[in-house]
Amino acid sequence: MKNKYLFTSESVTAGHPDKVCDQISDAILDKLLEYDSESRVACETLATTGLILVSGEITTKAYVNIQKIVRKTLENIGYTNSEFGISSKGTSVLVSLDEQAEHIAQGVNKFENHEQGAGDQGLMFGYACNETPELMPLPITLAHRMAEKLHQVREDGTLPWLRPDGKTQVTVEYENNIPVCVKKTVIATQHDDMLYKFDNEEEKERKFIENKIINHVIKPTLEKYNIPYEEDFIVNGTGRFVIGGPQADTGLTGRKIIVDTYGGYARHGGGAFSGKDPSKVDRSAAYMARYVAKNIVAAKLSTKCEVQLAYCIGVAEPVSVSVDTFGTGTISDSKITDMIKDVFDFRPNEIIKRLDLKKPIYQKLAAYGHFGRPNLTWEKIDMVNEILKRIEK
């Protein structure tokens, strides 16, 4: 008997108000790391109509022009027109920063007889599966690629009337845990007010936008992944989407953590990534857990794998390491767990060194997901042979 079910994931464009904030926070982090790789950064951003507020705790030897970084980030995203409610030139930028708390620094910094501990307590998850070449779940992968396509066709002038804000959502049907069909695709995309082109008829404007998005964004993305799809598409379900971005909704750093990871397909520890330097295990240990899970699946020890790490603030060794292969493992989860504890070092300083995390690499991750993307150290599958050797012993 076939076990059928549906699973849905969403993504958002770089112009979504929360993603604007993530990109600003990570742009500031990158610039600080560029001049001082030991910078301690916890940077939060709020965006609303005509205003960006940057706050947080930063300890660094570097000096950076935060207002300039904010404006450049807005320009790169596409917020260059005051009609959008926020723009690179006309927006007010307020900055309120303090240094990292002394007792947190005490636990994180290395000194005599004390190695670098975790920057906070907490739990982190990493996940991989064999549904896509990236070893990511198919729903979030499709949602990300569609969101990127929305950005692309606006940037390259294919659909010049698009504005920066947008969301995508993809529903996939599974049979016996294998994706077999895309059942429904939803896109909400901000656009220019074009009623003057259609004699003030909203229905004609809506049909025009729907046709263009289906043929330039939805179908080209779905066809790349060679999976059957139903032409059940919804574009701008409210009818119109002219006012968007921070003008329509206040943005905050760290509110799109499910978009950043696995689209709800795997568990999440709760900590956001953006604006945090790699001493924060919310970020670095989540990357490490993905790295381990991906290598386990690439080694064909399972078809899906979730790795959990947990830490205590100021302590280097994790308080727990566990693996769940959801019944797909070729050996027991306990054996895989024992093996990865032998093969991988989960202390924060060792994670940072292995994954080379003190470089200014983070702004490019702050939209369209932190996982399943090329040329990232935690996406390498370079430990497969070592894993298999340990299993064979």
Side-chain angles (χ1 to χ4, degrees):
M1 183 177 177
K2 292 182 179 179
N3 175 29
K4 287 188 177 184
Y5 60 92
L6 301 177
F7 194 88
T8 301
S9 292
E10 72 159 354
S11 183
V12 297
T13 64
H16 183 280
D18 295 329
K19 278 288 142 206
V20 169
C21 294
D22 285 345
Q23 289 166 93
I24 290 171
S25 292
D26 273 338
I28 292 167
L29 169 63
D30 278 356
K31 190 58 73 172
L32 290 167
L33 290 176
E34 183 180 335
Y35 292 108
D36 177 9
S37 64
E38 300 301 320
S39 296
R40 295 285 186 257
V41 182
C43 182
E44 312 292 342
T45 303
L46 177 147
T48 189
T49 306
L51 174 66
I52 300 288
L53 171 62
V54 178
S55 64
E57 296 76 46
I58 295 176
T59 302
T60 184
K61 295 176 184 176
Y63 170 77
V64 300
N65 186 329
I66 289 178
Q67 289 213 4
K68 185 176 179 181
I69 295 169
V70 169
R71 296 187 191 284
K72 184 63 177 175
T73 305
L74 289 173
E75 180 184 341
N76 290 342
I77 293 169
Y79 284 110
T80 56
N81 190 327
S82 60
E83 288 183 14
F84 298 171
I86 195 165
S87 69
S88 54
K89 292 182 179 178
T91 294
S92 298
V93 181
L94 302 181
V95 181
S96 178
L97 298 170
D98 204 347
E99 290 193 342
Q100 185 179 62
E102 177 186 348
H103 291 154
I104 294 176
Q106 183 176 294
V108 175
N109 294 337
K110 290 184 286 186
F111 51 87
E112 188 178 356
N113 299 322
H114 184 272
E115 65 177 318
Q116 180 176 338
D120 201 353
Q121 73 175 50
L123 52 143
M124 302 85 210
F125 290 95
Y127 183 80
C129 64
N130 66 354
E131 292 181 14
T132 65
E134 303 92 339
L135 301 186
M136 285 285 287
L138 182 62
I140 188 65
T141 300
L142 290 173
H144 281 325
R145 299 298 81 81
M146 266 182 218
E148 285 180 320
K149 191 70 173 174
L150 267 179
H151 178 90
Q152 178 191 323
V153 296
R154 175 175 59 85
E155 287 274 289
D156 67 17
T158 302
L159 303 180
W161 39 266
L162 289 178
R163 292 184 178 182
D165 196 1
K167 283 187 171 185
T168 63
Q169 186 172 288
V170 178
T171 300
V172 175
E173 181 178 53
Y174 286 77
E175 285 185 8
N176 298 329
N177 298 318
I178 297 172
V180 294
C181 179
V182 175
K183 297 291 283 186
K184 189 178 286 285
T185 304
V186 179
I187 287 188
T189 184
Q190 188 186 15
H191 57 87
D192 289 345
D193 188 339
M194 298 185 288
L195 287 183
Y196 69 93
K197 293 182 178 181
F198 301 100
D199 301 321
N200 289 319
E201 289 190 41
E202 287 190 18
E203 183 61 18
K204 287 183 180 179
E205 180 194 60
R206 189 186 70 80
K207 285 292 185 184
F208 170 80
I209 292 169
E210 180 183 73
N211 177 266
K212 294 295 186 182
I213 294 299
I214 288 171
N215 288 296
H216 289 279
V217 177
I218 296 176
K219 286 186 175 181
T221 304
L222 293 176
E223 285 163 6
K224 275 189 177 181
Y225 277 81
N226 196 30
I227 185 170
Y229 62 87
E230 294 184 7
E231 297 196 21
D232 191 351
F233 307 138
I234 299 176
V235 178
N236 287 358
T238 62
R240 305 190 81 220
F241 185 2
V242 173
I243 299 173
Q247 183 180 20
D249 291 294
T250 300
L252 289 170
T253 300
R255 280 207 301 204
K256 285 289 175 283
I257 58 176
I258 301 304
V259 170
D260 284 342
T261 53
Y262 307 102
Y265 201 93
R267 285 170 282 199
H268 194 294
F273 300 155
S274 291
K276 296 177 181 178
D277 75 87
S279 73
K280 278 72 171 173
V281 283
D282 277 344
R283 178 168 228 158
S284 54
Y287 292 170
M288 186 66 176
R290 161 66 177 171
Y291 176 57
V292 175
K294 187 173 184 182
N295 274 270
I296 290 170
V297 173
K300 295 185 167 44
L301 294 183
S302 65
T303 58
K304 54 180 72 175
C305 178
E306 185 178 75
V307 174
Q308 188 202 47
L309 305 174
Y311 291 86
C312 171
I313 188 169
V315 178
E317 292 286 350
V319 299
S320 72
V321 178
S322 65
V323 170
D324 188 348
T325 62
F326 308 94
T328 70
T330 59
I331 60 174
S332 70
D333 291 352
S334 60
K335 284 185 178 179
I336 297 177
T337 301
D338 290 340
M339 177 272 297
I340 67 170
K341 287 194 286 187
D342 286 338
V343 173
F344 299 96
D345 193 331
F346 294 105
R347 291 174 294 172
N349 191 53
E350 297 307 311
I351 292 174
I352 290 168
K353 285 195 294 185
R354 176 181 275 276
L355 300 181
D356 200 14
L357 296 179
K358 288 185 179 180
K359 291 184 175 179
I361 58 172
Y362 298 105
Q363 184 183 358
K364 67 183 180 183
L365 305 174
Y368 313 117
H370 293 244
F371 306 120
R373 299 170 67 167
N375 304 318
L376 299 173
T377 53
W378 53 93
E379 292 297 320
K380 292 181 179 179
I381 48 174
D382 55 354
M383 293 299 289
V384 170
N385 290 336
E386 184 63 28
I387 286 170
L388 293 175
K389 281 182 192 174
R390 298 298 180 101
I391 292 297
E392 289 167 2
K393 286 183 179 178

